[in-house]
Amino acid sequence: MKSKTTAAWLAFVGGPLGLHRFYLHGFWDLPGWLLPVPTALGLYGIERVQQHGQDDHLSWLLIPLLGFTFAGCALRAILYALTPPERWNARFNPGTEPDTPAGHTHWGTIGAIVASLMVGTGVLMASLAFSFQRYFEYQIEEARKISQPSQAPIEK
């Protein structure tokens, strides 16, 4: 029996590692194995910022991957938690009664929704803010380079 509450919490807490996919679809689930890739790339981006500072362009691309992966897993947790019991049991507990308790919503399921909404929204907004801030700072920096006169001596 696959519990909706357990799946929602696994998606929220261990989603970037694919734990919810392994719980629901088994150990050989390809998307479950691919989920840690953007997570690891995002962590590598954070490491690059610590080593090279905030002017590292590669980290600007890698860090949002981590945030978007966390936000996507939080959204998946919300979708799991809001799935009607009949539909949950038909998909993940085939051959059981539609009203089997594994698909019911409990206080733990509601807690997963609340936590996913709070953390997922915060991480998504932080990732977007970081991305846009870095992009616009880069554009301003490049515009300054273009607008400044050349420092090379002018030959007569």
Side-chain angles (χ1 to χ4, degrees), residues 9-128:
W9 278 107
L10 282 174
F12 173 64
V13 175
L17 299 175
L19 297 182
H20 63 292
R21 299 285 310 184
F22 297 134
Y23 174 70
L24 293 173
H25 303 287
F27 190 67
W28 298 109
D29 182 55
L30 183 61
W33 285 107
L34 292 177
L35 263 173
V37 173
T39 304
L41 289 173
L43 291 173
Y44 176 64
I46 291 173
E47 183 180 325
R48 284 188 62 93
V49 165
Q50 291 173 348
Q51 290 177 351
H52 304 291
Q54 291 188 358
D55 292 333
D56 181 44
H57 296 294
L58 183 59
S59 67
W60 298 355
L61 297 173
L62 296 177
I63 290 175
L65 283 176
L66 180 64
F68 295 142
T69 302
F70 270 101
C73 290
L75 176 62
R76 176 54 61 185
I78 293 167
L79 293 174
Y80 285 159
L82 293 177
T83 302
E86 301 81 23
R87 189 168 169 203
W88 178 267
N89 287 326
R91 181 165 183 200
F92 295 111
N93 299 317
T96 62
E97 296 293 323
D99 61 348
T100 302
H104 287 185
T105 301
H106 306 287
W107 282 108
T109 316
I110 294 169
I113 294 171
V114 170
S116 296
L117 277 171
M118 290 187 338
V119 175
T121 304
V123 168
L124 178 63
M125 295 307 293
S127 297
L128 288 172

